[in-house]
């Protein structure tokens, strides 16, 4: 594993990522990113299946929106790996929105670490609608049948 030089004293390693992400989503139900945000570069580029974000201010706003929308959120890390400057975590996130039943989302995140040892890019991969629809009686089954019929 390669060591990274960090000007701010934050040393991001695979073990640090596993520890931080587990704590992020288990603070009495509400997610809290305050301990993770210092590990992100000011020029962070984030993308998932819904949005594309550039810069720490916009990223922080996204984390606040998720906190406000969710009643409860927890994350289970299934596995984590490092390949050079890229860290990968496979996760199961259980989210309970204020007006809807709990849903489990299954996904993977890739973090790219820059020469300052901070996250410069994060890409999250998950099937938002499929995982949510699976938790709605009868609808999830119909949705999966539709996908299989149309896309194979």
């Amino acid at each position: 594993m390669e060591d990274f030089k960090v000007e701010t004293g934050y040393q991001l390693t695979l073990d640090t990522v596993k520890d931080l992400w587990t704590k992020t989503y288990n603070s009495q139900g509400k997610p809290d990113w305050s301990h993770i945000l210092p590990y992100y570069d000011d020029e962070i580029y984030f993308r998932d299946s819904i949005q594309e974000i550039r810069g720490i201010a916009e990223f922080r706003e996204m984390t606040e929106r998720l906190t406000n929308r969710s009643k409860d959120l927890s994350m289970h890390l299934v596995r984590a790996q490092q390949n050079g400057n890229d860290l990968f975590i496979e996760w199961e996130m259980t989210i309970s929105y204020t007006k809807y039943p709990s849903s489990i989302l299954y996904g993977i995140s890739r973090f790219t670490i820059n020469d300052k040892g901070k996250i410069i890019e994060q890409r999250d991969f998950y099937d938002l609608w499929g995982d949510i629809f699976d938790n709605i009686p009868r609808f999830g089954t119909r949705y999966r049948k539709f996908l299989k019929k149309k896309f194979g």
Side-chain angles (χ1 to χ4, degrees), residues 49 91-95 97 101-108 125-137 139-141 143-144 147:
S49 58
W91 44 264
E92 297 171 1
M93 182 173 68
T94 304
I95 187 165
Y97 295 102
S102 291
S103 296
I104 299 175
L105 303 177
Y106 302 92
I108 294 176
F125 302 91
Y126 57 92
D127 175 12
L128 176 65
W129 298 116
D131 290 340
I132 289 174
F133 292 162
D134 283 343
N135 293 287
I136 301 172
F139 187 75
T141 306
Y143 175 72
R144 294 292 176 186
L147 288 178

Side-chain angles (χ1 to χ4, degrees), residues 73-89:
L73 198 135
S74 63
M75 179 175 272
H76 167 67
L77 293 185
V78 177
R79 61 182 55 89
Q81 295 240 302
Q82 182 169 0
N83 183 12
N85 286 7
D86 291 321
L87 305 172
F88 300 86
I89 58 172

Side-chain angles (χ1 to χ4, degrees), residues 5 18 29 31-32 47 57 63-64 70 78 102 104 106-107 114 117 120 125 131-134 141-142 145 149-150 152:
K5 295 177 184 171
K18 289 190 291 190
D32 176 22
R47 184 169 183 175
T63 65
E64 290 169 3
S70 60
V78 177
S102 291
I104 299 175
Y106 302 92
N114 65 13
I120 190 66
F125 302 91
D131 290 340
I132 289 174
F133 292 162
D134 283 343
T141 306
R142 288 185 201 146
K145 284 181 183 177
K149 182 179 178 181
K150 294 294 182 187

